[in-house]
Amino acid sequence: MLKWIDNAVFYEIYPTSFYDSNGDGIGDLRGIAEKADYVKSLGVDAVWFNPFFKSPFKDGGYDVADYYEIDKRFGTMEDFEYMVKVFKEKGIKIILDLVIGHTSDKHKWFKKSTLAKKNKYYDYYVWTDDVNTSYPGAIRGLYYRNGGYVPNYYASQPALNYGFNQLDEKAPWKLHYKDERLRPLREEILNIMRFYFDKGIDGFRVDLAGHLIKEGQVFDYDKYYDDYDEKTDGIQWLWGQLLGTIRKEYKDKVFIAEWDIPQLAITKCGFDMDFLTHDTFYFGDLYRNEKDLNLSPYFERGDNYFSPNGKGTLDNFVHYVEYLYGKLGDKGMFTAPTGTHDEVRMSTRKSPDLIKCIFAFMLTLKQVPMIYYGDEIGIEHNYSVSKDGGGKRTGARTPMQWDNGKNRGFSTKKTTYLPTSDKVGQSVAEQEKDKNSILNVVRDLIKIKKWYPALKASSDQTFIEKGYPAVFERTDGKQTITVLINPSDTVINKKVDYSKVIYSQNTQFDKDNITLDKQSFAILLK
Ligand code: GLC
Ligand code: CA
């Protein structure tokens, strides 16, 4: 495992919504730089930024029109360099979003590849060989080129061409991933990485990292415990090429896959980290699978563990992560983020004390924790907005709430790009004043995580109980920490051996008798 991630806490910022420095109603890079002290005050080590490259924003910037230009919405390349400098001075690492599964249809590579006449960009995208050739999802008839292109997500996101997992006699237009014609695109991608590494950044979160090879991805999430070997030789080869090359040139950089299959991304493809997010329904069991949140059927699996009704269980989740630890060894670690720009906000319909229980779990669990901006003050999901192609996801992308004033201190403009919530108490300024606020408890928990080596990602973990309360031990061989968490409304008594209470909420101690009130937790030194 990369040394610096072993004890790191990450933070995700959606640049459109962090802070507006020039009063146009939309967040920008100078604004983020202005808030670097706040980010530092949380105690996080690294920030992942959603894309801020030139884009028509048909998909929140995940439709890049030029990798080497900062979108006007956010500022200029100088502003980016300034932001990097400010963050570096404070010792915070910068992770950019590498969106290389597709570009925007406004990207010049794509425009050139649509032309009837063959040119340098002919094989950059996945095109069929005739406009009448049908292929699932292929968009036909829009351009002069005699063929249809295969998009990845929306029609305006043509897939870049890394080849197919296998040759297909009936479809000679499907290039094999090792075909020499695909080498120039890979060089192009390496150059983008080099460009930003040379500007001082510390890593990439790779969008759709597992979906670059066509007909070589795994969609069957019911088979979580498989190794997926047969179907994935293409993607393993591709990441071997890309990471094999770039890691020789740049050391200590972190590569985080957006894949949701850590055993594949880390063990087989060389990533340092991978997510357990929306597609990982064992993670959904924790606090995101309720029917009325209107998520996909994948998540409708019964009761959340982090719910006052006390009907959930950590069984599936723990079974899965223990399988993962075994597979990953010391090669890397997953991150189970508190949320992302693609998911319903974790705080939705939860009391502050319940939210703090989730943070206590996430910041002591064997993983690399990641906090989605605003979760540390309990911003709630807004179900009534959609912008930039976000759909329901937009509700997790509303502006950061800095204070109780106009636009919650996000912008001086009369109307902002997205509305801010008017919920009292959900702002940084209000929570700064209260030592028991979500914000200050998160800060305390991060300090604890960094202080005790037993809480490092590489330290061991044993689950003792998976119901209510959850009880688990973390140890680095020298010190052992016991964590007890009771998200339910039931009061529970427990006998536990410990020498010191490191931190607790809603818990009473009478020697080794511990009373866990509703929504409580205790972090104890053995
Ligand atoms: C990733 C991004 C998401 C985007 C999609 C397509 O899943 O997180 O926001 O829409 O890729 O690029
Ligand atoms: Ca602005």
Side-chain angles (χ1 to χ4, degrees):
M1 180 155 30
L2 256 188
K3 214 165 165 227
W4 71 264
I5 67 167
D6 192 10
N7 202 17
V9 180
F10 283 67
Y11 190 67
E12 178 190 349
I13 290 181
Y14 191 72
T16 298
S17 294
F18 206 56
Y19 185 62
D20 172 21
S21 72
N22 62 352
D24 64 355
I26 201 157
D28 45 63
L29 300 190
R30 289 263 161 189
I32 295 169
E34 272 184 50
K35 294 296 185 185
D37 277 330
Y38 170 76
V39 175
K40 182 79 191 165
S41 81
L42 296 172
V44 300
D45 303 82
V47 178
W48 155 36
F49 295 91
N50 297 109
F52 41 62
F53 313 103
K54 186 178 175 186
S55 170
F57 290 95
K58 292 278 163 55
D59 180 22
Y62 283 91
D63 46 335
V64 177
D66 189 339
Y67 292 98
Y68 298 101
E69 229 184 280
I70 305 300
D71 194 86
K72 283 202 292 294
R73 168 189 286 200
F74 303 116
T76 61
M77 193 52 83
E78 286 70 48
D79 294 333
F80 169 68
E81 286 161 1
Y82 172 73
M83 186 186 85
V84 173
K85 182 170 152 276
V86 169
F87 273 72
K88 278 199 113 92
E89 277 165 10
K90 301 193 188 300
I92 304 168
K93 294 193 186 320
I94 294 197
I95 316 301
L96 300 193
D97 213 312
L98 190 64
V99 190
I100 54 170
H102 46 262
T103 65
S104 159
D105 58 356
K106 301 286 180 287
H107 196 292
K108 64 171 189 258
W109 299 344
F110 184 67
K111 288 188 188 157
K112 297 222 170 95
S113 89
T114 67
L115 301 176
K117 197 162 169 258
K118 241 185 178 179
N119 58 60
K120 183 179 163 197
Y121 301 96
Y122 191 81
D123 292 315
Y124 269 43
Y125 295 84
V126 185
W127 286 91
T128 66
D129 53 0
D130 193 290
V131 75
N132 287 318
T133 303
S134 65
Y135 183 74
I139 310 285
R140 301 184 285 135
L142 289 184
Y143 299 101
Y144 289 125
R145 176 169 174 163
N146 183 22
Y149 70 91
V150 180
N152 263 354
Y153 190 55
Y154 295 140
S156 61
Q157 290 166 303
L160 285 164
N161 192 5
Y162 301 93
F164 282 72
N165 208 46
Q166 266 180 338
L167 285 177
D168 181 346
E169 270 173 29
K170 284 186 226 111
W173 54 271
K174 296 181 182 175
L175 302 185
H176 186 263
Y177 59 83
K178 281 189 183 164
D179 195 302
E180 272 306 305
R181 282 171 281 185
L182 302 176
R183 187 187 288 274
L185 174 64
R186 291 198 302 273
E187 260 320 303
E188 204 79 73
I189 302 302
L190 289 166
N191 284 337
I192 298 168
M193 296 186 200
R194 291 178 183 121
F195 180 80
Y196 286 101
F197 281 146
D198 289 342
K199 291 206 179 289
I201 69 140
D202 304 283
F204 287 105
R205 174 266 189 190
V206 184
D207 193 58
L208 300 184
H211 297 262
L212 302 181
I213 300 285
K214 293 293 164 212
E215 296 172 11
Q217 53 272 76
V218 183
F219 286 112
D220 188 358
Y221 292 108
D222 282 324
K223 293 212 181 111
Y224 244 87
Y225 294 83
D226 285 351
D227 279 332
Y228 307 122
D229 265 343
E230 330 97 66
K231 275 187 104 178
T232 59
D233 40 317
I235 195 73
Q236 295 187 39
W237 181 87
L238 177 65
W239 281 115
Q241 297 289 307
L242 292 173
L243 292 179
T245 307
I246 205 76
R247 289 216 199 261
K248 278 192 210 116
E249 299 170 31
Y250 300 88
K251 305 283 173 221
D252 286 339
K253 304 296 183 189
V254 70
F255 283 87
I256 312 173
E258 186 212 25
W259 201 327
D260 284 310
I261 307 182
Q263 68 269 37
L264 192 50
I266 295 169
T267 317
K268 305 274 168 87
C269 295
F271 280 87
D272 304 289
M273 286 165 62
D274 187 10
F275 291 91
L276 295 190
T277 56
H278 36 255
D279 293 330
T280 320
F281 50 55
Y282 297 112
F283 179 55
D285 280 0
L286 299 185
Y287 52 81
R288 243 195 279 278
N289 65 356
E290 291 155 285
K291 274 194 166 40
D292 57 347
L293 285 183
N294 258 331
L295 293 163
S296 78
Y298 265 134
F299 301 94
E300 296 173 1
R301 293 160 45 87
D303 291 289
N304 283 314
Y305 178 74
F306 286 95
S307 160
N309 72 14
K311 289 187 190 156
T313 164
L314 288 176
D315 283 350
N316 288 336
F317 178 75
V318 172
H319 193 257
Y320 177 50
V321 295
E322 286 183 345
Y323 158 83
L324 281 182
Y325 301 137
K327 286 276 169 189
L328 303 181
D330 57 6
K331 292 207 175 81
M333 187 42 73
F334 62 82
T335 174
T338 61
T340 69
H341 62 292
D342 290 330
E343 294 165 287
V344 172
R345 283 272 186 191
M346 61 99 96
S347 51
T348 302
R349 294 186 288 96
K350 291 183 180 64
S351 70
D353 276 0
L354 183 55
I355 295 168
K356 289 180 241 167
C357 286
I358 297 176
F359 274 105
F361 182 75
M362 289 304 175
L363 287 161
T364 54
L365 187 75
K366 181 175 168 66
Q367 65 140 341
V368 179
M370 188 182 288
I371 298 168
Y372 182 49
Y373 86 96
D375 280 350
E376 76 276 21
I377 52 169
I379 292 186
E380 287 172 39
H381 204 82
N382 179 342
Y383 285 94
S384 53
V385 286
S386 175
K387 210 146 203 172
D388 285 346
K392 214 160 38 199
R393 303 174 298 173
T394 312
R397 302 174 181 180
T398 56
M400 181 62 176
Q401 296 167 188
W402 297 103
D403 59 38
N404 214 2
K406 189 181 153 212
N407 296 329
R408 309 303 298 258
F410 164 70
S411 169
T412 54
K413 193 163 182 239
K414 203 158 160 225
T415 37
T416 50
Y417 165 84
L418 279 172
T420 39
S421 153
D422 52 13
K423 286 262 166 65
V424 175
Q426 288 173 15
S427 75
V428 173
E430 288 159 282
Q431 295 197 13
E432 293 277 9
K433 289 186 239 145
D434 171 6
K435 93 176 187 352
N436 278 321
S437 64
I438 304 171
L439 175 60
N440 281 325
V441 169
V442 168
R443 283 174 172 152
D444 290 344
L445 288 166
I446 292 176
K447 274 192 208 121
I448 290 164
K449 177 185 161 54
K450 308 212 69 105
W451 184 260
Y452 291 97
L455 298 176
K456 284 184 177 187
S458 60
S459 296
D460 287 341
Q461 175 173 285
T462 313
F463 263 85
I464 298 161
E465 289 180 43
K466 292 171 242 174
Y468 298 88
V471 184
F472 57 99
E473 273 182 9
R474 302 291 319 277
T475 184
D476 65 341
K478 294 191 194 95
Q479 72 190 184
T480 301
I481 286 177
T482 309
V483 182
L484 293 93
I485 303 189
N486 175 25
S488 80
D489 274 346
T490 310
V491 180
I492 305 164
N493 286 302
K494 273 263 133 191
K495 257 196 185 327
V496 185
D497 259 351
Y498 65 93
S499 64
K500 187 184 146 191
V501 178
I502 298 173
Y503 202 74
S504 70
Q505 164 177 293
N506 299 338
T507 307
Q508 280 111 49
F509 301 89
D510 178 13
K511 303 218 181 83
D512 60 348
N513 260 316
I514 302 183
T515 307
L516 290 149
D517 285 342
K518 56 183 190 173
Q519 286 89 52
S520 58
F521 64 83
I523 302 171
L524 310 170
L525 193 64
K526 231 191 174 152

